[in-house]
Amino acid sequence: MGPIKYWYMRKIIKHMSGKRLIAVSDGVAQELTTASLYNPSSVTTIYNPFDIDRIKSLSNETTEQLPFEKYILHVGRAAKAKRHDVLFAALKLLEPPIKLVCLTGNTKKLRKLSEKMGVSERVILPGFTTNPYPWIKNAELLALSSDFEGLPTVLIEAIVCGTKVVSTNYPHGPNEILLDELSQYLVPPQDPRQLATAINNAL
């Protein structure tokens, strides 16, 4: 963070002492209750709501940008925590080769990274879209490679759209969503080989 941002965040966090806090996942709730800088009076998990009918309706809309060939999908901003480097490394290991669509606002950053990692010909960067659901519904699979999130709502949205999912098993959320038979598609963070294996198995 750097010293100034750390000091500012520490100051904010201390104000949470004695407060009744709401967490978006049990993983976040557990972290809140075990933190050392403050002592909340209570922590309750309330998952984000989902308008399932609306998601399904929006997923049926048409868009001319959809690729004609099969593709897997990643939805998320071009931030370090999303670990596109891990995802691109896994992409190299997929058999047979398949295209990867990344829905993100910062296409320039991901294009540069894909070129650096030698996968630019397999990465499609359409840019930001207000309706990602047709992309999700028509994907062969949605892949999440993050090191951490609060609650990965895109996993739930993909399941609503009937799309397969593979995710890194970071502490906050994925193992609360991918239960029972879906738990086989949870992989350790920062491991491109296991991520590629899970994607290949799902496909």
Side-chain angles (χ1 to χ4, degrees):
M1 286 186 178
I4 296 175
K5 188 174 181 181
Y6 174 77
W7 176 85
Y8 182 69
M9 290 298 296
R10 187 182 175 108
K11 187 176 179 182
I12 291 173
I13 287 170
K14 283 187 174 182
H15 282 292
M16 298 198 303
S17 283
K19 300 292 194 304
R20 292 177 292 177
L21 305 180
I22 296 173
V24 296
S25 68
D26 285 339
V28 171
Q30 185 177 4
E31 186 168 304
L32 289 171
T33 56
T34 56
S36 58
L37 291 178
Y38 59 94
N39 184 27
S41 64
S42 67
V43 180
T44 303
T45 298
I46 301 179
Y47 290 112
N48 292 331
F50 290 85
D51 187 338
I52 293 175
D53 290 337
R54 178 176 178 273
I55 291 172
K56 287 183 176 180
S57 175
L58 288 172
S59 73
N60 291 322
E61 290 187 359
T62 57
T63 172
E64 294 179 357
Q65 286 185 292
L66 286 176
F68 290 107
E69 66 264 58
K70 292 182 178 180
Y71 65 92
I72 62 175
L73 179 68
H74 179 271
V75 180
R77 56 197 173 87
K80 185 177 180 181
K82 303 293 185 180
R83 295 311 301 263
H84 289 93
D85 58 329
V86 173
L87 183 59
F88 290 170
L91 183 64
K92 286 183 174 182
L93 303 173
L94 297 184
E95 292 293 344
I98 189 171
K99 293 292 180 70
L100 167 67
V101 172
C102 292
L103 293 184
T104 183
N106 193 343
T107 57
K108 184 177 180 181
K109 184 176 181 179
L110 290 192
R111 183 171 290 109
K112 186 176 180 180
L113 179 62
S114 68
E115 290 171 355
K116 180 181 178 181
M117 298 188 67
V119 293
S120 59
E121 292 184 357
R122 293 177 59 187
V123 176
I124 300 172
L125 299 167
F128 175 78
T129 176
T130 56
N131 181 13
Y133 300 119
W135 294 87
I136 295 173
K137 181 180 179 180
N138 288 280
E140 298 296 305
L141 175 145
L142 182 135
L144 200 62
S145 50
S146 301
D147 278 346
F148 58 87
E149 305 258 356
L151 180 76
T153 55
V154 69
L155 291 181
I156 299 170
E157 292 167 335
I159 292 169
V160 169
C161 291
T163 301
K164 297 174 183 178
V165 292
V166 170
S167 174
T168 45
N169 190 19
Y170 48 83
H172 303 153
N175 61 4
E176 298 171 47
I177 299 169
L178 303 186
L179 304 171
D180 302 324
E181 68 273 12
L182 294 181
S183 63
Q184 65 183 301
Y185 302 117
L186 290 169
V187 300
Q190 303 176 27
D191 191 329
R193 189 165 296 279
Q194 290 201 53
L195 181 61
T197 298
I199 292 173
N200 278 327
N201 290 341
L203 292 175

